[in-house]
Amino acid sequence: MPGRPALFLDRDGVIVVERDYLSDPADVALEKGAAELMRWARDGDIAMVCPTNQSGIARGRFGLKALEAVEAEIARQLADRDTAFDLVVACPFHPDFTPGYGEEEARWRKPGPAMLELAEKMMEIDLAASWLVGDKTSDVEAARAAGLRGAVHVLTGHGKSHRDKALSLATETFDVLPADDLRDTLKLLRDRF
Ligand SMILES: [Mg+2]
């Protein structure tokens, strides 16, 4: 059973406006087009998963409680617009700040594929039919490493400085589509699921 496709949506700079090391719920603002894209996915029975690197935890800039408070605020704002993630997976590790950081930790932190593979197992996702939307090269690398169909690279968040490298990651079997923002992303993904 191949399962159903998923849309993997990076958090910072994609679903919410980039704020370096977001840790205060008062700073949470949805990116334009986020709720519309997610409602479209829900209508198409596409699973919605948010794999997010949160090295602020390893760096000691905030703790799990702050992460949970931010996630609760994101969920509240999405619920106000009639949508929700099916799964959020956060990686607290960073190679320079996590004691004993090794291969296992590197698999969890994007560009590693483990957060996407966890969703595959938990939700019976067909990774080969799934897409990711991200602003960083590491998002696109994680998508490719997990065997996704492709990724959309947006210019919000840190997108501008990652554009060229992100597009260079395309292969014969892995598409990387350039988009300005999530409204543009919805136009690109409409006929690709
Ligand atoms: Mg990001």
Side-chain angles (χ1 to χ4, degrees):
M1 276 285 288
R4 66 173 171 147
L7 183 57
F8 292 94
L9 298 164
D10 177 45
R11 194 190 88 177
D12 300 310
V14 175
I15 288 299
V16 303
V17 175
E18 174 68 44
R19 314 253 191 237
D20 286 339
Y21 304 107
L22 173 60
S23 61
D24 184 344
D27 291 334
V28 171
L30 297 180
E31 274 287 355
K32 61 179 187 294
E36 291 80 359
L37 176 65
M38 291 177 67
R39 285 199 299 264
W40 166 80
R42 170 65 47 82
D43 288 346
D45 196 29
I46 298 163
M48 277 176 293
V49 180
C50 181
T52 177
N53 281 355
Q54 293 298 326
S55 74
I57 292 178
R59 295 168 195 267
R61 297 186 65 132
F62 56 85
L64 273 178
K65 276 219 165 68
L67 174 64
E68 285 170 4
V70 166
E71 289 299 331
E73 176 60 18
I74 295 169
R76 189 191 68 76
Q77 292 191 23
L78 290 173
D80 272 355
R81 296 174 185 219
D82 201 24
T83 190
F85 280 111
D86 296 301
L87 179 67
V88 177
V89 189
C91 175
F93 308 133
H94 187 280
D96 297 337
F97 297 94
T98 298
Y101 187 97
E103 275 180 31
E104 176 67 17
E105 288 76 14
R107 281 186 50 75
W108 285 105
R109 178 174 162 80
K110 292 178 288 185
M115 291 195 283
L116 285 60
E117 291 168 352
L118 179 67
E120 176 194 27
K121 289 190 194 86
M122 289 180 68
M123 305 178 65
E124 295 182 27
I125 299 299
D126 180 3
L127 291 178
S130 298
W131 289 77
L132 172 144
V133 184
D135 65 316
K136 286 189 175 177
T137 307
S138 55
D139 295 311
V140 178
E141 288 175 312
R144 193 172 77 172
L148 265 54
R149 175 67 188 80
V152 177
H153 181 257
V154 290
L155 290 178
T156 48
H158 292 283
K160 286 192 178 74
S161 61
H162 287 248
R163 176 65 108 196
D164 292 347
K165 179 79 193 298
L167 295 184
S168 77
L169 293 167
T171 68
E172 274 188 18
T173 55
F174 179 77
D175 287 340
V176 184
L177 309 176
D180 287 345
D181 54 25
L182 292 178
R183 289 176 181 161
D184 218 12
T185 298
L186 177 52
K187 288 180 205 154
L188 288 171
L189 288 181
R190 265 186 200 287
D191 50 5
R192 284 184 164 85
F193 275 93

